[in-house]
Amino acid sequence: MKTLLSLETSCDECSASVIAPADSPSQVRVLSNVIFSQIELHSKFGGIVPEVASRNHLEMFAPVVDEALSTAGIRFKDLSAVGVTQGPGLMGALLVGLSAAKAYSYSLNIPLIPVHHLEGHLHSLFIESQKNVPLPQDMKLPMLVCLVSGGHTNLYLLESLPPESLRLTELSKSRDDAAGEAFDKCAKILGLPYPGGIHIDSLARKGRKDAFAFPRPLPGQNLEFSFSGLKTAVQTEVKKLGFTPHVFGKINSDQLPKEEMLFDLCASVQEAIVQTLVRKIILAKDRTDAQSIAIVGGVSANSRLRELLSHVKLPVYMPDAVYCTDNAAMIGACAYFKWIRNEVPSAVEASRLNAFSS
Ligand code: KG4
Ligand code: ZN
């Protein structure tokens, strides 16, 4: 059996996965997908410290790879190719994964396939046996894809399926902050741990969505996004309510909104972000001949976004939560199809590959 090892170390998740062919030629089978999250390491700093991230990747990648191989029930000698995130991401963190992948490729004499992180997120749609994603032959094209992560908020029109390379047209992106960044920055203002999206998501369930009128920017026919004003609006509101959540850059835990007030703030922040996303998705759907909608990336795990999209009168595809946030399986899926298409650098080209940060 052909098996591919993939590595993802672009940010604060150290992940390795073993990928194999699936029954459908447009999907891959995940034999293992191990994710070591560094969240605890970074949370005391209120965000990711790049140097801490790279050092931890260096410590963790070998044990994570060993676990991925043993869960998949294979050994190094059984591998036929290795895929890795080349960028964008944190330079030092990427270099750990890329250097490790080069070493595996060279020592095992197998091809090395570099993957763009965003192309990886898009391939999370082509992982076998997910609850929320149909077989690719049942997917309707063209598909409007919204990639929403900590670093990107992009709308694409997708007109082909693997094993072909993805034919994509970028329709719009954020002018400033990404949706995930907005979740994280607002969460920080509210004194919640990093990364804040998941905390806002769960606290918002107990709050009133209309308690605070936070901005929904670029309200016209513009398909672009803009989220940078939201954090200022939240900061201003929190001050107006009489809280001083941060003193000299540190969280002042006695001075944070609590209970109902916090739930209402979370619900209102989430609603502002998610309503903006859904409005632009519907606008783009109406403007193109999209026959289906998909969401990928960390924010696509958001429960309110999923709920709102379930009312849209088109098939909506969303990966299982584990494949929304950063993981090596999606990188492996993308690398696998490149490998099948023979889009493989020569050994010399592979040795010269460099990481890129943006
Ligand atoms: O795709 P991802 O893991 O990393 C990037 O490529 O950026 O996305 C991380 C982002 C973070 O901003 C995080 O707060 C957000 O995804 N996120 C969520 C949820 N789970 C993760 N945002 C809203 N609701 C969630 N349930
Ligand atoms: Zn990502």
Side-chain angles (χ1 to χ4, degrees):
M1 183 176 45
K2 287 178 164 183
T3 48
L4 178 146
L5 171 71
S6 56
L7 296 175
E8 153 62 37
T9 63
S10 67
C11 194
D12 60 340
E13 265 97 22
C14 187
S15 180
S17 174
V18 177
I19 296 294
D23 295 336
S24 159
S26 297
Q27 286 187 322
V28 295
R29 183 165 297 164
V30 176
L31 301 187
S32 62
N33 182 36
V34 179
I35 303 172
F36 177 80
S37 168
Q38 303 178 348
I39 283 175
E40 258 180 54
L41 275 182
H42 299 285
S43 60
K44 58 175 174 288
F45 303 109
I48 294 166
V49 183
E51 180 65 16
V52 173
S54 350
R55 281 169 192 268
N56 190 258
H57 282 307
L58 208 46
E59 269 176 46
M60 292 310 298
F61 84 84
V64 165
V65 166
D66 284 348
E67 197 184 323
L69 293 180
S70 69
T71 307
I74 62 160
R75 299 186 192 182
F76 278 115
K77 67 173 175 47
D78 303 319
L79 291 170
S80 319
V82 55
V84 65
T85 310
Q86 188 183 6
L90 302 172
M91 200 42 137
L94 287 163
L95 278 173
V96 175
L98 185 59
S99 309
K102 281 184 186 180
Y104 292 132
S105 157
Y106 185 73
S107 57
L108 299 167
N109 195 21
I110 55 175
L112 170 65
I113 299 138
V115 172
H116 192 289
H117 184 76
L118 297 190
E119 220 188 327
H121 272 299
L122 294 166
H123 279 81
S124 62
L125 291 168
F126 307 108
I127 292 174
E128 190 187 52
S129 68
Q130 297 179 54
K131 293 187 289 279
N132 305 301
V133 178
L135 281 172
Q137 60 262 33
D138 298 326
M139 283 182 167
K140 305 266 183 281
L141 294 180
M143 186 192 297
L144 181 73
V145 187
C146 183
L147 192 161
V148 255
S149 68
H152 296 86
T153 309
N154 297 2
L155 277 177
Y156 302 100
L157 197 66
L158 172 66
E159 293 179 274
S160 65
L161 296 175
E164 263 186 73
S165 59
L166 300 187
R167 248 181 302 124
L168 286 166
T169 312
E170 187 184 282
L171 301 174
S172 71
K173 57 186 178 186
S174 177
R175 286 183 181 180
D176 40 58
D177 291 356
E181 200 176 348
F183 268 111
D184 296 341
K185 286 178 175 169
C186 293
K188 189 170 178 181
I189 295 169
L190 299 174
L192 298 171
Y194 179 87
I198 193 159
H199 299 286
I200 293 194
D201 190 351
S202 79
L203 295 174
R205 284 173 209 168
K206 301 185 209 158
R208 292 171 298 153
K209 300 185 272 293
D210 55 354
F212 300 93
F214 290 130
R216 280 117 165 104
L218 303 176
Q221 295 299 303
N222 195 325
L223 287 183
E224 284 177 308
F225 302 91
S226 166
F227 291 107
S228 67
L230 183 61
K231 59 179 186 289
T232 316
V234 174
Q235 194 138 36
T236 309
E237 189 63 50
V238 165
K239 251 195 213 151
K240 216 162 76 190
L241 292 166
F243 299 105
T244 43
H246 297 88
V247 175
F248 300 125
K250 290 234 156 59
I251 286 188
N252 187 5
S253 34
D254 301 336
Q255 273 301 314
L256 293 172
K258 302 225 164 49
E259 297 292 321
E260 264 84 65
M261 176 90 70
L262 179 62
F263 302 152
D264 285 351
L265 283 162
C266 285
S268 305
V269 165
Q270 175 171 272
E271 201 64 10
I273 298 173
V274 163
Q275 288 285 0
T276 302
L277 289 173
V278 172
R279 207 179 64 75
K280 304 277 171 164
I281 288 173
I282 292 174
L283 207 59
K285 167 194 85 94
D286 292 342
R287 216 178 277 178
T288 57
D289 55 348
Q291 302 296 305
S292 62
I293 293 170
I295 47 170
V296 297
V299 180
S300 66
N302 184 269
S303 60
R304 178 71 180 143
L305 178 61
R306 287 175 171 235
E307 183 196 335
L308 283 175
L309 284 177
S310 69
H311 302 305
V312 177
K313 286 187 179 57
L314 276 188
V316 180
Y317 315 132
M318 20 205 174
D320 293 346
V322 66
Y323 301 124
C324 290
T325 44
D326 288 349
N327 66 88
M330 66 185 195
I331 303 300
C334 182
Y336 176 83
F337 293 116
K338 281 182 192 286
W339 179 45
I340 293 292
R341 295 193 300 270
N342 216 11
E343 289 171 24
V344 174
S346 68
V348 175
E349 285 165 344
S351 71
R352 289 183 183 153
L353 285 174
N354 215 337
F356 57 89
S357 55
S358 58

